[in-house]
Amino acid sequence: MPRQSIKPFLTYSQQLTKLTKDKKLLIPDSASAKNALTNISYYSLIGGYKQLFYNPMTRQYLPGTTFDDLLQLYYFDESLRALFFKYLCHIEQKMRSLISYHFSETYSHLEKDYLDAANYSNSKKTTPASDV
């Protein structure tokens, strides 16, 4: 027996129609909205950003809510993630540099210690194994 889908497939046009008729979302430019759904996806855009604009009791958007409201929130979040990631990469690079510097300072004169897995553990050991 074939399994019944919980939610049926909807074309982009059908998704927009559902949003306007059933969910009362205002979509002033349907071509632009369709393009956004094509590039972002319904689930990522609508499912991810509706909470601020959606009344779960009526299962409709708050009066005056537009598709662009959701889209602008998505783009803001995307910019914030990109900014956060940029600085996270700087922090990662700084940490790798400090770890590399400390390890080289401790073990650079003993080439075999680079291959000793014990020198990469979390233990409090601060001297090379061959110096003990």
Coordinates of all heavy atoms in Angstrom, one line a residue, residues 102-103 106-107 110 112-132:
H102 N 53.1 27.5 20.3 CA 53.4 26.8 21.6 C 54.0 25.4 21.3 O 55.0 25.0 22.0 CB 52.2 26.7 22.5 CG 52.4 25.9 23.7 ND1 53.2 26.4 24.8 CD2 52.0 24.7 24.1 CE1 53.3 25.5 25.7 NE2 52.5 24.4 25.3
F103 N 53.4 24.7 20.4 CA 53.9 23.3 20.2 C 55.3 23.4 19.6 O 56.2 22.6 20.0 CB 52.9 22.6 19.2 CG 53.3 21.1 19.1 CD1 52.8 20.2 19.9 CD2 54.1 20.7 18.1 CE1 53.1 18.9 19.8 CE2 54.4 19.3 17.9 CZ 53.9 18.4 18.8
T106 N 57.9 24.2 22.2 CA 58.1 23.1 23.1 C 58.8 21.9 22.4 O 59.7 21.3 23.0 CB 56.8 22.6 23.7 OG1 56.1 23.7 24.3 CG2 57.0 21.5 24.7
Y107 N 58.5 21.6 21.2 CA 59.0 20.4 20.5 C 59.8 20.6 19.3 O 60.2 19.6 18.7 CB 57.8 19.5 20.2 CG 57.0 19.1 21.4 CD1 55.7 19.5 21.6 CD2 57.5 18.2 22.3 CE1 55.0 19.2 22.7 CE2 56.8 17.8 23.4 CZ 55.5 18.3 23.6 OH 54.8 17.9 24.7
L110 N 63.0 18.6 18.7 CA 62.9 17.1 18.7 C 61.9 16.7 17.6 O 60.7 16.5 17.9 CB 62.4 16.6 20.1 CG 63.3 17.0 21.3 CD1 62.6 16.8 22.6 CD2 64.6 16.3 21.2
K112 N 61.2 13.9 16.2 CA 60.3 12.7 16.4 C 59.1 13.0 17.3 O 58.1 12.3 17.2 CB 61.2 11.6 17.0 CG 61.6 11.8 18.5 CD 62.4 10.6 19.0 CE 63.0 10.9 20.3 NZ 62.0 11.2 21.3
D113 N 59.2 14.0 18.1 CA 58.0 14.4 19.0 C 56.8 14.9 18.2 O 55.7 14.9 18.7 CB 58.4 15.4 20.0 CG 59.4 14.8 21.1 OD1 59.3 13.5 21.2 OD2 60.1 15.5 21.7
Y114 N 57.0 15.3 17.0 CA 55.9 15.7 16.1 C 55.0 14.5 15.9 O 53.8 14.7 15.6 CB 56.3 16.3 14.8 CG 56.8 17.7 14.9 CD1 58.1 18.0 14.8 CD2 55.9 18.8 15.0 CE1 58.5 19.4 14.9 CE2 56.3 20.1 15.1 CZ 57.6 20.4 15.0 OH 58.0 21.7 15.1
L115 N 55.6 13.3 15.8 CA 54.8 12.1 15.5 C 54.3 11.4 16.8 O 53.6 10.4 16.6 CB 55.7 11.2 14.7 CG 56.3 11.7 13.4 CD1 57.2 10.7 12.8 CD2 55.1 12.1 12.5
D116 N 54.6 11.9 17.9 CA 54.2 11.2 19.2 C 52.8 11.7 19.5 O 52.6 12.9 19.9 CB 55.2 11.5 20.3 CG 54.9 10.8 21.6 OD1 53.9 10.1 21.7 OD2 55.7 10.9 22.5
A117 N 51.8 10.8 19.5 CA 50.4 11.2 19.7 C 50.2 11.7 21.2 O 49.4 12.5 21.4 CB 49.5 10.0 19.5
A118 N 51.1 11.2 22.1 CA 51.0 11.7 23.5 C 51.2 13.2 23.6 O 50.7 13.8 24.5 CB 51.9 10.9 24.3
N119 N 52.0 13.7 22.7 CA 52.2 15.2 22.8 C 51.0 16.0 22.3 O 51.1 17.3 22.4 CB 53.5 15.5 21.9 CG 54.7 15.0 22.6 OD1 54.8 14.8 23.8 ND2 55.7 14.7 21.8
Y120 N 50.0 15.4 21.9 CA 48.8 16.1 21.4 C 47.6 15.9 22.4 O 46.5 16.3 22.1 CB 48.4 15.7 20.0 CG 49.4 16.0 19.0 CD1 50.4 15.1 18.6 CD2 49.3 17.3 18.4 CE1 51.3 15.5 17.6 CE2 50.3 17.6 17.4 CZ 51.3 16.7 17.0 OH 52.2 17.0 16.1
S121 N 47.9 15.3 23.5 CA 46.8 15.0 24.5 C 46.5 16.2 25.3 O 47.2 17.2 25.3 CB 47.2 13.8 25.4 OG 48.2 14.2 26.3
N122 N 45.4 16.1 26.1 CA 45.0 17.2 27.0 C 45.6 17.1 28.4 O 45.2 17.9 29.3 CB 43.4 17.1 27.2 CG 42.7 17.5 26.0 OD1 43.2 18.3 25.1 ND2 41.5 17.0 25.8
S123 N 46.6 16.3 28.6 CA 47.2 16.1 29.9 C 48.0 17.4 30.2 O 48.3 18.2 29.4 CB 48.1 14.9 29.9 OG 49.3 15.1 29.1
K124 N 48.4 17.5 31.5 CA 49.2 18.7 31.9 C 50.7 18.6 31.6 O 51.4 19.4 32.0 CB 49.0 18.8 33.5 CG 47.5 18.9 33.9 CD 47.2 20.3 34.4 CE 45.9 20.3 34.9 NZ 45.0 21.2 34.3
K125 N 51.1 17.5 30.9 CA 52.5 17.3 30.5 C 53.0 18.5 29.7 O 52.4 18.9 28.7 CB 52.6 16.1 29.7 CG 54.1 15.7 29.4 CD 54.2 14.4 28.8 CE 54.0 14.5 27.3 NZ 54.2 13.3 26.5
T126 N 54.1 19.2 30.2 CA 54.6 20.3 29.5 C 56.0 20.1 28.9 O 56.5 21.0 28.2 CB 54.6 21.5 30.4 OG1 55.4 21.2 31.5 CG2 53.2 21.9 30.8
T127 N 56.6 19.0 29.2 CA 58.0 18.7 28.7 C 57.9 17.6 27.7 O 57.1 16.7 27.8 CB 59.0 18.4 29.8 OG1 58.5 17.3 30.5 CG2 59.1 19.6 30.8
P128 N 58.8 17.6 26.7 CA 58.9 16.5 25.7 C 59.2 15.2 26.4 O 59.9 15.1 27.4 CB 60.0 16.9 24.8 CG 60.3 18.4 25.1 CD 59.8 18.7 26.4
A129 N 58.6 14.1 25.9 CA 58.8 12.8 26.4 C 60.3 12.4 26.6 O 60.7 11.8 27.5 CB 58.1 11.7 25.6
S130 N 61.1 12.8 25.6 CA 62.5 12.4 25.7 C 63.3 13.2 26.7 O 64.4 12.9 27.0 CB 63.2 12.6 24.3 OG 63.0 14.0 23.9
D131 N 62.7 14.3 27.2 CA 63.4 15.1 28.2 C 63.1 14.7 29.6 O 63.7 15.1 30.6 CB 63.0 16.6 28.1 CG 63.6 17.3 26.9 OD1 64.4 16.6 26.2 OD2 63.3 18.5 26.7
V132 N 62.1 13.7 29.8 CA 61.7 13.3 31.1 C 62.7 12.3 31.7 O 63.3 11.5 31.1 CB 60.3 12.7 31.1 CG1 59.9 12.2 32.5 CG2 59.3 13.7 30.6

